[in-house]
Amino acid sequence: MDTERMIKSAEKVCAAFPAFRPKLALVMGSGWREVANGFTVKHSLDYADIPGLGAPQVAGHGGQLLLAQQGGVELLIFSGRRHGYEGAGWDPIAFPVCLAKTMGAQGLVLTNSAGGINPRFRAGAVMIIDDHINLMGTNPLIGPHHAFWGPRFPDMTGVYDADYRRQLDEAGKRAGVPLEHGVYLAVTGPSYETPAEIGAFRGMGADAVGMSTVPEAILARAAGLKVAGISCITNAAAGFGQTLSHEDVLAGAKAAIPGLTRLLKEFVEEV
Ligand code: HPA
């Protein structure tokens, strides 16, 4: 990871918008892009024009940095997520965390689409991430230590901030969106899991599975940002009788967009 290059790039974005003071940064995962339409956008930048970030390679992931506002709160919205399976290294994944910290945001909201492992979860369920299991077989902090990311061996107890989780529950009640809670397990993808893998993950205590979020959560926690994680359960994970496709995942998220938009608006005004 080239942290110095990322910091320089982040400082350029800050310098271009000196009056902008985001309280929160939000990363919109697969299928969540439309949720960003619920906020008032003041400026937008293409990822392709931001060194260290660059354009995502996956349909449904977009690629715009939005400087937005909701109820007097300024927000940095990453509309489109970069994933490890693109093979572009950690920089595009770490950059949103780097920019959020450089701009002085207090917290980072990580959203994603995920497969439901908990048999209680139906497609369309919304799960607040209480904790995670990193089965990516790697870690974004591997490499020379840089003080920007906090201590060499950062603590990962309580990655997902307890106040944010409570505030999400309250936001869900006001928004009329029922919420689940659970453990998110991350794999690299891009292949979906086998039924045997999902059986093993269930035994490990996972409620949902996906290909993102954990690297950003590790980095943000290490760097001293508060973290919230929200999964839209777009499908039952492998082994529940159906095959999986990216199109089905995007379609699963689409139905949930109005509820997700209400939830995030309420949350953003609460924090
Ligand atoms: N597995 C992994 N990632 C996913 C899934 C899944 O079933 N659904 C959405 N993202």
Side-chain angles (χ1 to χ4, degrees), residues 113-115 192-193 209-211 234-238 244 249:
S113 290
Y192 288 110
E193 303 71 39
V209 60
M211 305 174 192
T234 52
N235 56 279
L244 299 178
V249 166

Side-chain angles (χ1 to χ4, degrees), residues 8-9 29 40 50 73 173 178 180 185 194 198 205 216 229-230 267:
K8 274 200 194 94
S9 180
T40 307
I50 304 174
V73 180
K173 279 189 198 122
E180 304 283 356
L185 183 146
T194 63
I198 294 301
E216 295 102 312
I230 313 170
F267 174 68

Side-chain angles (χ1 to χ4, degrees), residues 43-271:
H43 303 281
S44 90
L45 298 176
D46 284 338
Y47 283 6
D49 296 331
I50 304 174
L53 192 48
Q57 319 279 309
V58 187
H61 287 295
Q64 285 185 321
L65 171 60
L66 309 175
L67 280 64
Q69 195 163 25
Q70 169 66 29
V73 180
E74 290 185 313
L75 305 167
L76 201 55
I77 302 178
F78 293 87
S79 177
R81 158 179 279 119
R82 302 298 310 271
H83 289 80
Y85 57 69
E86 295 172 43
W90 288 120
D91 286 22
I93 296 162
F95 185 81
V97 187
C98 178
L99 184 60
K101 178 168 165 160
T102 306
M103 279 200 151
Q106 65 156 240
L108 181 66
V109 181
L110 299 167
T111 69
N112 62 49
S113 290
I117 295 179
N118 186 323
R120 224 167 21 86
F121 293 177
R122 297 283 161 260
V126 182
M127 184 188 91
I128 304 307
I129 303 178
D130 286 335
D131 205 347
H132 73 224
I133 297 172
N134 179 12
L135 268 197
M136 288 183 149
T138 185
N139 188 302
L141 291 169
I142 291 173
H145 177 236
H146 195 296
F148 184 87
W149 302 112
R152 169 81 283 199
F153 301 105
D155 179 54
M156 289 290 140
T157 314
V159 175
Y160 301 88
D161 185 77
D163 289 335
Y164 279 1
R165 285 188 277 140
R166 183 181 44 75
Q167 287 165 327
L168 278 166
D169 281 332
E170 287 161 10
K173 279 189 198 122
R174 287 197 304 278
V177 179
L179 296 175
E180 304 283 356
H181 280 257
V183 172
Y184 175 89
L185 183 146
V187 291
T188 61
S191 54
Y192 288 110
E193 303 71 39
T194 63
E197 286 166 342
I198 294 301
F201 297 166
R202 198 169 154 189
M204 293 169 82
D207 295 292
V209 60
M211 305 174 192
S212 68
T213 302
V214 164
E216 295 102 312
I218 291 172
L219 290 166
R221 171 79 172 136
L225 291 167
K226 292 167 77 166
V227 180
I230 313 170
S231 294
C232 176
I233 306 298
T234 52
N235 56 279
F240 287 94
Q242 82 298 12
T243 56
L244 299 178
S245 77
H246 185 56
E247 289 67 33
D248 289 345
V249 166
L250 294 181
K254 203 167 179 59
I257 281 171
L260 299 174
T261 306
R262 290 199 308 278
L263 173 69
L264 275 188
K265 281 181 145 180
E266 290 287 347
F267 174 68
V268 159
E269 291 193 12
E270 165 93 14
V271 290

